[in-house]
Amino acid sequence: MSNITKEKLAAEDIAAQLTNAVHEHRLKPGAKLREDEVSDVFGVSRTVVRQALRALAFEGLLTIERNRGAFVSKPSLKEAHEVFQARALLEPSTARAAAERTTAADIVLLERHIKEEHEALDQDRPGLALKLSGDFHLEIARIADQQTIEQFLKQLVSRSSLVIALYWKRRNALCESNAHHALVDALRNHDGSAAEELMKGHLLDIYSQLDLREYDEGATSLKEALRK
Amino acid sequence: MSNITKEKLAAEDIAAQLTNAVHEHRLKPGAKLREDEVSDVFGVSRTVVRQALRALAFEGLLTIERNRGAFVSKPSLKEAHEVFQARALLEPSTARAAAERTTAADIVLLERHIKEEHEALDQDRPGLALKLSGDFHLEIARIADQQTIEQFLKQLVSRSSLVIALYWKRRNALCESNAHHALVDALRNHDGSAAEELMKGHLLDIYSQLDLREYDEGATSLKEALRK
DNA sequence: CAGGCAAAACTTGTATACAATCTGACCTCA
DNA sequence: TGAGGTCAGATTGTATACAAGTTTTGCCTG
């Protein structure tokens, strides 16, 4: 979170840097963010910091407790389920829509994105790889030209990052199957059905690598949501 | 937006009152909300007002232009489509999930809700009726016990209200079919499939009463999204 | 009279001072 | 010893003063 430049940072910039830190798991769930500590680091007044913190709280990344401060959120098991259920509703259709609109330029961008993910893994920076992986999903919503859904997905990806920090089964053996590669292939071929199915499978794959067993309410399961 | 009490209002309360005003179309798309005007009305400092305005901007109800101020949002045709596409993805599944969990108390509550809607129409208060109609949809997400989706839906219902203010075909002939009644019946019978189908139909019904014809991009249509 | 420039009036953005609340250490007393 | 209470320090919440930017007004010029 280096900040050498004297340029005056806006709330937006601060929010972005904090978001990166959380996505890369440099800031862990439960961590407290004191206002004047943050304002010292970024060289702005608390007014601006508070704007940033409140924006991130709205996205679900932080939780603000009145008179107590801002903390990196710790999603409950229920929230973890809800996040992936919501993603299961939004992302497959979005991938299908994206397939119809994908351009050559998009493919180049996505492939560069995947390359960066692999590089991050090679350099043993799993936090960065995870963040890039999340961005990949947002990129698909962008290609689908669905800004409303993209905005929701941004929040869901953020929360997913927290869920993974808390509930990932085996911290070492990091995922990154070739799921993203397969998705890019489907998009290149404008094969909406394939993209939709691959996205369903990919989400289910991530979901199944989470340790959410304790949670056993009769609630609708994700598998059920993705079955059809 | 009367405010006689001297009780000190929180940003949250102010946001709620402004939200009501917009939902009931007392504040129309494009209207400007000056900070010290609002702070005078509610008797708090601009600091608190700014919190409320920023929160509403995050929900999409207001649009804040830097150094210019906060305005009630005017969703474009594209945004209008996106809002209903997102609702089409989220609400039918949610209605299905709700059907499995609906209790007798929920039914009582929903029926009272519908009664209030009709009363509002009888009293010639279409704005209030519209607001209540939106709340009905949120109530279903609450019954489904899906807080994440409920939160998204809250934003979508808000934006729908703006879309209706801008694009409703015939201002007079107000809707309110018996769609909500039929939904309550399905919920009472724990008939998830019926609830899902009714919700699809209901959304399509609202959508078809909007005048969104100018918008004719090759984008995925809502009808297509609901077809299957 | 139209166009454009300039200054004044107004509105929002940021910093800071002060108030309210929470936290934790220390002390007292059963 | 430990339960409870009180006070000091630290942290967040709110109001306000000032800075920066935008809009309006009105004057001047062609």
Side-chain angles (χ1 to χ4, degrees):
Chain A
M1 221 187 307
S2 62
N3 176 252
I4 300 100
T5 62
K6 285 270 177 77
E7 305 282 330
K8 189 174 282 185
L9 295 170
E12 203 177 332
D13 304 313
I14 294 169
Q17 292 200 38
L18 291 176
T19 299
N20 279 346
V22 174
H23 280 191
E24 297 177 19
H25 295 180
R26 299 202 310 275
L27 279 171
K28 296 195 170 55
K32 177 165 186 179
L33 293 156
R34 257 180 303 122
E35 292 177 356
D36 47 10
E37 186 179 5
V38 178
S39 70
D40 281 354
V41 170
F42 290 102
V44 295
S45 76
R46 279 177 52 216
T47 308
V48 180
V49 170
R50 283 171 69 82
Q51 273 183 47
L53 296 181
R54 286 187 171 272
L56 295 178
F58 212 95
E59 289 182 13
L61 207 69
L62 304 181
T63 301
I64 292 178
E65 297 180 28
R66 187 166 221 279
N67 284 319
R68 296 213 343 101
F71 305 83
V72 178
S73 297
K74 296 206 283 188
S76 65
L77 283 165
K78 175 163 187 297
E79 288 173 86
H81 278 268
E82 287 190 2
V83 164
F84 279 91
Q85 282 187 312
R87 292 186 66 167
L89 289 180
L90 295 175
E91 294 203 65
S93 312
T94 303
R96 170 186 286 270
E100 293 170 12
R101 318 179 116 259
T102 308
T103 67
D106 292 330
I107 295 293
V108 170
L109 212 144
L110 289 173
E111 282 180 339
R112 182 161 54 217
H113 207 110
I114 291 176
K115 196 164 78 106
E116 283 176 26
E117 285 182 49
H118 285 125
E119 283 170 5
L121 281 176
D122 291 344
Q123 293 165 21
D124 205 38
R125 300 175 65 184
L128 180 58
L130 188 71
K131 171 190 151 17
L132 289 167
S133 171
D135 289 344
F136 180 88
H137 287 246
L138 293 182
E139 200 59 30
I140 287 175
R142 184 194 58 77
I143 292 170
D145 193 28
Q146 290 277 352
Q147 297 187 339
T148 304
I149 287 174
E150 184 179 351
Q151 191 189 326
F152 291 159
L153 218 50
K154 187 179 160 204
Q155 296 179 39
L156 291 171
V157 167
S158 268
R159 297 181 197 186
S160 295
S161 175
L162 298 173
V163 167
I164 288 169
L166 287 170
Y167 302 114
W168 195 255
K169 268 179 189 163
R170 307 174 299 156
R171 316 283 301 202
N172 305 332
L174 197 47
C175 52
E176 226 27 64
S177 54
N178 51 359
H180 288 186
H181 254 306
L183 260 165
V184 171
D185 285 341
L187 293 179
R188 185 188 358 249
N189 300 328
H190 301 296
D191 186 342
S193 301
E196 183 171 351
E197 288 304 317
L198 283 165
M199 184 60 87
K200 278 189 194 176
H202 180 41
L203 288 172
L204 195 49
D205 199 44
I206 300 172
Y207 179 76
S208 68
Q209 292 194 57
L210 295 173
D211 191 8
L212 302 175
R213 278 167 307 189
E214 294 94 298
Y215 184 79
D216 207 354
E217 282 195 31
T220 317
S221 75
L222 181 76
K223 290 197 181 181
E224 196 173 351
L226 288 174
R227 177 174 44 76
K228 163 75 171 309
Chain B
M1 222 187 306
S2 62
N3 175 251
I4 302 102
T5 62
K6 285 269 177 78
E7 305 282 329
K8 190 174 280 182
L9 295 170
E12 202 177 334
D13 304 313
I14 294 168
Q17 291 200 38
L18 291 176
T19 300
N20 279 346
V22 174
H23 280 192
E24 297 177 19
H25 294 180
R26 298 202 311 273
L27 280 171
K28 295 196 171 55
K32 177 165 186 180
L33 293 156
R34 258 178 299 125
E35 292 177 357
D36 46 10
E37 187 179 4
V38 178
S39 69
D40 281 352
V41 170
F42 290 102
V44 294
S45 77
R46 278 177 53 216
T47 309
V48 179
V49 171
R50 283 172 69 82
Q51 275 183 45
L53 295 181
R54 286 186 172 272
L56 295 178
F58 212 95
E59 288 181 15
L61 208 70
L62 305 181
T63 301
I64 293 177
E65 298 179 27
R66 187 167 221 278
N67 283 320
R68 295 209 348 98
F71 304 83
V72 178
S73 297
K74 296 205 283 189
S76 64
L77 283 165
K78 177 165 186 295
E79 288 173 87
H81 277 269
E82 287 191 1
V83 164
F84 278 91
Q85 283 186 312
R87 292 186 67 167
L89 289 180
L90 295 175
E91 294 203 65
S93 311
T94 303
R96 172 187 285 271
E100 294 171 10
R101 317 179 117 259
T102 308
T103 67
D106 292 330
I107 295 294
V108 171
L109 212 143
L110 288 173
E111 283 181 338
R112 183 161 53 216
H113 207 110
I114 291 176
K115 196 165 82 132
E116 284 177 25
E117 285 182 49
H118 285 125
E119 283 169 5
L121 281 177
D122 291 343
Q123 293 165 21
D124 205 39
R125 299 174 66 183
L128 179 59
L130 188 70
K131 171 192 155 10
L132 289 167
S133 171
D135 290 344
F136 180 87
H137 286 247
L138 293 182
E139 200 60 30
I140 287 175
R142 184 194 59 75
I143 292 170
D145 193 29
Q146 289 277 354
Q147 297 188 338
T148 304
I149 287 174
E150 184 179 350
Q151 191 189 326
F152 291 159
L153 219 50
K154 187 180 159 200
Q155 296 178 39
L156 291 171
V157 167
S158 268
R159 297 180 197 186
S160 296
S161 175
L162 297 173
V163 167
I164 288 169
L166 287 170
Y167 302 115
W168 195 255
K169 268 178 187 161
R170 306 175 298 155
R171 316 284 302 201
N172 304 333
L174 198 47
C175 51
E176 227 26 64
S177 55
N178 51 359
H180 287 186
H181 254 306
L183 260 165
V184 172
D185 285 341
L187 293 178
R188 189 191 350 253
N189 299 329
H190 301 296
D191 186 343
S193 301
E196 184 171 351
E197 288 305 317
L198 284 165
M199 183 61 87
K200 279 189 194 176
H202 180 41
L203 287 172
L204 195 49
D205 198 46
I206 300 173
Y207 179 76
S208 69
Q209 293 195 56
L210 296 173
D211 191 8
L212 302 176
R213 278 167 306 189
E214 294 94 298
Y215 184 81
D216 207 353
E217 282 194 34
T220 315
S221 75
L222 181 76
K223 289 197 180 181
E224 196 173 350
L226 288 174
R227 177 174 42 77
K228 164 73 172 306

Short mmCIF file of all heavy atoms in Angstrom, two decimals, chain B residues 48-93:
data_model
loop_
_atom_site.label_atom_id
_atom_site.label_comp_id
_atom_site.label_asym_id
_atom_site.label_seq_id
_atom_site.Cartn_x
_atom_site.Cartn_y
_atom_site.Cartn_z
N VAL B 48 -24.14 15.11 7.64
CA VAL B 48 -25.06 13.97 7.69
C VAL B 48 -25.83 13.85 6.38
O VAL B 48 -26.03 12.75 5.85
CB VAL B 48 -26.02 14.13 8.88
CG1 VAL B 48 -27.00 12.98 8.95
CG2 VAL B 48 -25.24 14.25 10.17
N VAL B 49 -26.24 15.00 5.86
CA VAL B 49 -26.97 14.98 4.59
C VAL B 49 -26.12 14.34 3.50
O VAL B 49 -26.60 13.52 2.71
CB VAL B 49 -27.37 16.41 4.18
CG1 VAL B 49 -27.93 16.44 2.77
CG2 VAL B 49 -28.39 16.96 5.17
N ARG B 50 -24.86 14.71 3.48
CA ARG B 50 -23.97 14.17 2.44
C ARG B 50 -23.86 12.66 2.54
O ARG B 50 -23.83 11.96 1.53
CB ARG B 50 -22.59 14.81 2.55
CG ARG B 50 -22.55 16.22 1.98
CD ARG B 50 -21.25 16.90 2.28
NE ARG B 50 -20.13 16.31 1.56
CZ ARG B 50 -19.82 16.61 0.31
NH1 ARG B 50 -20.55 17.48 -0.35
NH2 ARG B 50 -18.80 16.05 -0.29
N GLN B 51 -23.81 12.15 3.77
CA GLN B 51 -23.81 10.69 3.95
C GLN B 51 -25.03 10.07 3.31
O GLN B 51 -24.94 9.07 2.58
CB GLN B 51 -23.81 10.34 5.43
CG GLN B 51 -22.45 10.32 6.08
CD GLN B 51 -22.58 9.90 7.54
OE1 GLN B 51 -23.29 8.96 7.87
NE2 GLN B 51 -21.92 10.61 8.41
N ALA B 52 -26.19 10.68 3.60
CA ALA B 52 -27.44 10.12 3.07
C ALA B 52 -27.44 10.17 1.54
O ALA B 52 -27.78 9.19 0.87
CB ALA B 52 -28.63 10.90 3.63
N LEU B 53 -27.03 11.30 0.99
CA LEU B 53 -27.05 11.46 -0.46
C LEU B 53 -26.11 10.44 -1.13
O LEU B 53 -26.45 9.85 -2.15
CB LEU B 53 -26.65 12.88 -0.85
CG LEU B 53 -27.60 14.00 -0.40
CD1 LEU B 53 -27.09 15.36 -0.87
CD2 LEU B 53 -29.01 13.77 -0.91
N ARG B 54 -24.93 10.25 -0.53
CA ARG B 54 -23.99 9.31 -1.13
C ARG B 54 -24.51 7.89 -1.06
O ARG B 54 -24.31 7.09 -1.98
CB ARG B 54 -22.63 9.41 -0.44
CG ARG B 54 -21.91 10.66 -0.87
CD ARG B 54 -20.50 10.79 -0.37
NE ARG B 54 -19.90 11.93 -1.02
CZ ARG B 54 -19.27 11.87 -2.19
NH1 ARG B 54 -19.15 10.72 -2.80
NH2 ARG B 54 -18.78 12.96 -2.73
N ALA B 55 -25.19 7.56 0.04
CA ALA B 55 -25.75 6.22 0.15
C ALA B 55 -26.80 6.00 -0.95
O ALA B 55 -26.82 4.95 -1.59
CB ALA B 55 -26.37 6.03 1.53
N LEU B 56 -27.63 7.00 -1.17
CA LEU B 56 -28.67 6.86 -2.19
C LEU B 56 -28.07 6.83 -3.58
O LEU B 56 -28.59 6.17 -4.49
CB LEU B 56 -29.68 7.99 -2.06
CG LEU B 56 -30.48 7.97 -0.75
CD1 LEU B 56 -31.44 9.14 -0.67
CD2 LEU B 56 -31.25 6.65 -0.62
N ALA B 57 -26.96 7.54 -3.76
CA ALA B 57 -26.28 7.50 -5.05
C ALA B 57 -25.76 6.09 -5.31
O ALA B 57 -25.80 5.60 -6.43
CB ALA B 57 -25.14 8.50 -5.08
N PHE B 58 -25.29 5.46 -4.26
CA PHE B 58 -24.78 4.10 -4.41
C PHE B 58 -25.88 3.15 -4.83
O PHE B 58 -25.66 2.22 -5.60
CB PHE B 58 -24.15 3.64 -3.10
CG PHE B 58 -23.01 2.70 -3.32
CD1 PHE B 58 -21.71 3.17 -3.35
CD2 PHE B 58 -23.24 1.35 -3.52
CE1 PHE B 58 -20.67 2.30 -3.59
CE2 PHE B 58 -22.20 0.48 -3.76
CZ PHE B 58 -20.91 0.97 -3.79
N GLU B 59 -27.09 3.39 -4.35
CA GLU B 59 -28.22 2.53 -4.73
C GLU B 59 -28.71 2.84 -6.14
O GLU B 59 -29.54 2.12 -6.67
CB GLU B 59 -29.39 2.74 -3.76
CG GLU B 59 -29.15 2.15 -2.40
CD GLU B 59 -30.36 2.37 -1.49
OE1 GLU B 59 -31.43 2.71 -1.99
OE2 GLU B 59 -30.20 2.20 -0.27
N GLY B 60 -28.23 3.95 -6.70
CA GLY B 60 -28.65 4.30 -8.05
C GLY B 60 -29.82 5.25 -8.07
O GLY B 60 -30.26 5.68 -9.14
N LEU B 61 -30.36 5.59 -6.90
CA LEU B 61 -31.52 6.47 -6.84
C LEU B 61 -31.13 7.90 -7.20
O LEU B 61 -31.89 8.61 -7.85
CB LEU B 61 -32.11 6.42 -5.43
CG LEU B 61 -33.59 6.70 -5.34
CD1 LEU B 61 -34.38 5.56 -5.94
CD2 LEU B 61 -34.01 6.92 -3.90
N LEU B 62 -29.96 8.31 -6.75
CA LEU B 62 -29.46 9.64 -7.07
C LEU B 62 -28.19 9.51 -7.90
O LEU B 62 -27.53 8.48 -7.88
CB LEU B 62 -29.12 10.42 -5.79
CG LEU B 62 -30.23 10.58 -4.75
CD1 LEU B 62 -29.73 11.40 -3.57
CD2 LEU B 62 -31.46 11.23 -5.37
N THR B 63 -27.88 10.57 -8.60
CA THR B 63 -26.63 10.64 -9.34
C THR B 63 -25.90 11.88 -8.84
O THR B 63 -26.46 12.97 -8.85
CB THR B 63 -26.91 10.78 -10.85
OG1 THR B 63 -27.67 9.65 -11.26
CG2 THR B 63 -25.61 10.85 -11.63
N ILE B 64 -24.68 11.70 -8.38
CA ILE B 64 -23.91 12.83 -7.88
C ILE B 64 -22.89 13.24 -8.93
O ILE B 64 -22.09 12.42 -9.39
CB ILE B 64 -23.21 12.49 -6.55
CG1 ILE B 64 -24.27 12.29 -5.46
CG2 ILE B 64 -22.23 13.58 -6.15
CD1 ILE B 64 -23.71 11.89 -4.12
N GLU B 65 -22.95 14.47 -9.34
CA GLU B 65 -21.96 15.00 -10.29
C GLU B 65 -21.03 15.91 -9.51
O GLU B 65 -21.47 16.83 -8.82
CB GLU B 65 -22.66 15.79 -11.40
CG GLU B 65 -23.60 14.92 -12.22
CD GLU B 65 -24.29 15.72 -13.32
OE1 GLU B 65 -23.72 16.74 -13.76
OE2 GLU B 65 -25.41 15.34 -13.70
N ARG B 66 -19.75 15.63 -9.66
CA ARG B 66 -18.76 16.31 -8.84
C ARG B 66 -18.85 17.83 -8.98
O ARG B 66 -18.93 18.36 -10.10
CB ARG B 66 -17.35 15.86 -9.24
CG ARG B 66 -16.28 16.39 -8.34
CD ARG B 66 -14.96 15.68 -8.58
NE ARG B 66 -14.28 15.41 -7.32
CZ ARG B 66 -13.53 16.29 -6.68
NH1 ARG B 66 -13.42 17.51 -7.16
NH2 ARG B 66 -12.92 15.96 -5.57
N ASN B 67 -18.87 18.49 -7.86
CA ASN B 67 -18.94 19.95 -7.79
C ASN B 67 -20.25 20.54 -8.32
O ASN B 67 -20.40 21.75 -8.41
CB ASN B 67 -17.78 20.61 -8.56
CG ASN B 67 -16.50 20.55 -7.79
OD1 ASN B 67 -16.50 20.73 -6.59
ND2 ASN B 67 -15.41 20.26 -8.47
N ARG B 68 -21.18 19.62 -8.69
CA ARG B 68 -22.45 20.12 -9.22
C ARG B 68 -23.64 19.74 -8.34
O ARG B 68 -24.61 20.49 -8.26
CB ARG B 68 -22.70 19.62 -10.65
CG ARG B 68 -21.70 20.16 -11.63
CD ARG B 68 -22.19 20.32 -13.07
NE ARG B 68 -23.44 19.69 -13.40
CZ ARG B 68 -24.60 20.34 -13.44
NH1 ARG B 68 -24.64 21.60 -13.14
NH2 ARG B 68 -25.69 19.71 -13.78
N GLY B 69 -23.55 18.62 -7.70
CA GLY B 69 -24.61 18.27 -6.78
C GLY B 69 -25.27 16.93 -7.04
O GLY B 69 -24.85 16.18 -7.92
N ALA B 70 -26.33 16.67 -6.27
CA ALA B 70 -27.04 15.39 -6.35
C ALA B 70 -28.38 15.59 -7.05
O ALA B 70 -29.11 16.53 -6.74
CB ALA B 70 -27.26 14.84 -4.94
N PHE B 71 -28.68 14.69 -7.98
CA PHE B 71 -29.93 14.77 -8.74
C PHE B 71 -30.62 13.42 -8.68
O PHE B 71 -29.95 12.37 -8.63
CB PHE B 71 -29.65 15.11 -10.20
CG PHE B 71 -28.86 16.38 -10.39
CD1 PHE B 71 -27.46 16.38 -10.28
CD2 PHE B 71 -29.50 17.58 -10.66
CE1 PHE B 71 -26.72 17.54 -10.45
CE2 PHE B 71 -28.77 18.75 -10.83
CZ PHE B 71 -27.38 18.73 -10.72
N VAL B 72 -31.94 13.43 -8.70
CA VAL B 72 -32.66 12.17 -8.84
C VAL B 72 -32.30 11.60 -10.20
O VAL B 72 -32.37 12.30 -11.21
CB VAL B 72 -34.19 12.38 -8.73
CG1 VAL B 72 -34.92 11.06 -8.92
CG2 VAL B 72 -34.54 13.01 -7.38
N SER B 73 -31.91 10.34 -10.21
CA SER B 73 -31.38 9.73 -11.44
C SER B 73 -32.43 9.67 -12.54
O SER B 73 -33.63 9.54 -12.28
CB SER B 73 -30.89 8.31 -11.15
OG SER B 73 -29.83 8.32 -10.25
N LYS B 74 -31.94 9.76 -13.78
CA LYS B 74 -32.79 9.58 -14.95
C LYS B 74 -32.26 8.40 -15.76
O LYS B 74 -31.44 8.58 -16.65
CB LYS B 74 -32.78 10.84 -15.82
CG LYS B 74 -33.36 12.05 -15.14
CD LYS B 74 -33.91 13.07 -16.13
CE LYS B 74 -32.82 13.88 -16.78
NZ LYS B 74 -33.40 15.00 -17.59
N PRO B 75 -32.71 7.19 -15.44
CA PRO B 75 -32.16 6.01 -16.13
C PRO B 75 -32.37 6.12 -17.63
O PRO B 75 -33.44 6.51 -18.09
CB PRO B 75 -32.97 4.85 -15.55
CG PRO B 75 -33.68 5.38 -14.37
CD PRO B 75 -33.75 6.86 -14.49
N SER B 76 -31.35 5.78 -18.38
CA SER B 76 -31.46 5.74 -19.84
C SER B 76 -32.30 4.52 -20.23
O SER B 76 -32.59 3.66 -19.41
CB SER B 76 -30.07 5.62 -20.46
OG SER B 76 -29.50 4.38 -20.08
N LEU B 77 -32.65 4.46 -21.49
CA LEU B 77 -33.37 3.28 -21.97
C LEU B 77 -32.56 2.02 -21.73
O LEU B 77 -33.10 0.97 -21.36
CB LEU B 77 -33.67 3.44 -23.47
CG LEU B 77 -34.83 4.39 -23.79
CD1 LEU B 77 -34.82 4.77 -25.25
CD2 LEU B 77 -36.15 3.72 -23.43
N LYS B 78 -31.26 2.12 -21.96
CA LYS B 78 -30.41 0.95 -21.75
C LYS B 78 -30.47 0.50 -20.30
O LYS B 78 -30.63 -0.69 -20.00
CB LYS B 78 -28.97 1.28 -22.14
CG LYS B 78 -27.99 0.15 -21.89
CD LYS B 78 -26.68 0.39 -22.62
CE LYS B 78 -25.76 -0.80 -22.51
NZ LYS B 78 -25.33 -1.06 -21.12
N GLU B 79 -30.35 1.47 -19.39
CA GLU B 79 -30.42 1.11 -17.98
C GLU B 79 -31.77 0.50 -17.64
O GLU B 79 -31.87 -0.45 -16.86
CB GLU B 79 -30.19 2.35 -17.11
CG GLU B 79 -28.76 2.83 -17.10
CD GLU B 79 -28.61 4.15 -16.36
OE1 GLU B 79 -28.44 4.13 -15.14
OE2 GLU B 79 -28.68 5.23 -17.01
N ALA B 80 -32.83 1.06 -18.23
CA ALA B 80 -34.17 0.53 -17.97
C ALA B 80 -34.24 -0.95 -18.35
O ALA B 80 -34.74 -1.78 -17.60
CB ALA B 80 -35.20 1.34 -18.76
N HIS B 81 -33.70 -1.26 -19.52
CA HIS B 81 -33.67 -2.66 -19.94
C HIS B 81 -32.86 -3.50 -18.96
O HIS B 81 -33.28 -4.59 -18.56
CB HIS B 81 -33.07 -2.77 -21.34
CG HIS B 81 -34.04 -2.51 -22.43
ND1 HIS B 81 -34.79 -3.49 -23.02
CD2 HIS B 81 -34.42 -1.36 -23.03
CE1 HIS B 81 -35.58 -2.96 -23.95
NE2 HIS B 81 -35.37 -1.66 -23.97
N GLU B 82 -31.70 -2.99 -18.61
CA GLU B 82 -30.83 -3.76 -17.73
C GLU B 82 -31.49 -4.07 -16.40
O GLU B 82 -31.35 -5.16 -15.86
CB GLU B 82 -29.52 -2.99 -17.49
CG GLU B 82 -28.61 -2.97 -18.70
CD GLU B 82 -27.23 -2.42 -18.35
OE1 GLU B 82 -27.01 -2.10 -17.16
OE2 GLU B 82 -26.39 -2.34 -19.23
N VAL B 83 -32.21 -3.07 -15.88
CA VAL B 83 -32.87 -3.28 -14.60
C VAL B 83 -33.86 -4.44 -14.68
O VAL B 83 -33.87 -5.32 -13.83
CB VAL B 83 -33.60 -1.99 -14.16
CG1 VAL B 83 -34.60 -2.28 -13.04
CG2 VAL B 83 -32.58 -0.95 -13.69
N PHE B 84 -34.65 -4.45 -15.75
CA PHE B 84 -35.65 -5.52 -15.81
C PHE B 84 -35.02 -6.86 -16.20
O PHE B 84 -35.52 -7.92 -15.81
CB PHE B 84 -36.80 -5.12 -16.75
CG PHE B 84 -37.78 -4.24 -16.04
CD1 PHE B 84 -37.65 -2.86 -16.06
CD2 PHE B 84 -38.82 -4.80 -15.30
CE1 PHE B 84 -38.54 -2.04 -15.37
CE2 PHE B 84 -39.71 -4.00 -14.61
CZ PHE B 84 -39.58 -2.62 -14.64
N GLN B 85 -33.93 -6.82 -16.92
CA GLN B 85 -33.23 -8.08 -17.19
C GLN B 85 -32.67 -8.67 -15.90
O GLN B 85 -32.76 -9.87 -15.67
CB GLN B 85 -32.11 -7.86 -18.21
CG GLN B 85 -32.65 -7.75 -19.63
CD GLN B 85 -31.55 -7.68 -20.65
OE1 GLN B 85 -30.61 -6.89 -20.49
NE2 GLN B 85 -31.65 -8.47 -21.69
N ALA B 86 -32.11 -7.82 -15.07
CA ALA B 86 -31.56 -8.31 -13.81
C ALA B 86 -32.68 -8.85 -12.92
O ALA B 86 -32.54 -9.90 -12.29
CB ALA B 86 -30.80 -7.19 -13.09
N ARG B 87 -33.81 -8.14 -12.90
CA ARG B 87 -34.93 -8.63 -12.10
C ARG B 87 -35.41 -9.97 -12.63
O ARG B 87 -35.76 -10.87 -11.85
CB ARG B 87 -36.07 -7.60 -12.12
CG ARG B 87 -35.74 -6.32 -11.38
CD ARG B 87 -36.93 -5.38 -11.28
NE ARG B 87 -37.99 -5.95 -10.42
CZ ARG B 87 -39.01 -5.24 -9.96
NH1 ARG B 87 -39.12 -3.97 -10.27
NH2 ARG B 87 -39.92 -5.81 -9.20
N ALA B 88 -35.40 -10.12 -13.95
CA ALA B 88 -35.85 -11.38 -14.53
C ALA B 88 -34.94 -12.53 -14.13
O ALA B 88 -35.38 -13.69 -14.02
CB ALA B 88 -35.89 -11.26 -16.05
N LEU B 89 -33.66 -12.23 -13.89
CA LEU B 89 -32.74 -13.29 -13.47
C LEU B 89 -32.93 -13.63 -12.00
O LEU B 89 -32.78 -14.79 -11.60
CB LEU B 89 -31.29 -12.87 -13.71
CG LEU B 89 -30.81 -12.79 -15.15
CD1 LEU B 89 -29.36 -12.35 -15.21
CD2 LEU B 89 -30.99 -14.14 -15.84
N LEU B 90 -33.22 -12.61 -11.19
CA LEU B 90 -33.20 -12.83 -9.73
C LEU B 90 -34.56 -13.22 -9.16
O LEU B 90 -34.63 -14.10 -8.28
CB LEU B 90 -32.70 -11.56 -9.03
CG LEU B 90 -31.25 -11.17 -9.30
CD1 LEU B 90 -30.93 -9.83 -8.63
CD2 LEU B 90 -30.29 -12.24 -8.79
N GLU B 91 -35.62 -12.57 -9.61
CA GLU B 91 -36.87 -12.69 -8.87
C GLU B 91 -37.61 -14.03 -9.03
O GLU B 91 -38.14 -14.53 -8.03
CB GLU B 91 -37.79 -11.51 -9.21
CG GLU B 91 -37.21 -10.20 -8.70
CD GLU B 91 -38.28 -9.13 -8.50
OE1 GLU B 91 -39.14 -9.32 -7.63
OE2 GLU B 91 -38.26 -8.13 -9.22
N PRO B 92 -37.68 -14.61 -10.23
CA PRO B 92 -38.41 -15.87 -10.30
C PRO B 92 -37.83 -16.95 -9.38
O PRO B 92 -38.57 -17.59 -8.62
CB PRO B 92 -38.29 -16.25 -11.78
CG PRO B 92 -38.16 -14.94 -12.49
CD PRO B 92 -37.30 -14.11 -11.56
N SER B 93 -36.52 -17.13 -9.40
CA SER B 93 -35.91 -18.13 -8.50
C SER B 93 -36.19 -17.80 -7.05
O SER B 93 -36.39 -18.70 -6.23
CB SER B 93 -34.40 -18.16 -8.69
OG SER B 93 -34.07 -18.26 -10.04
#
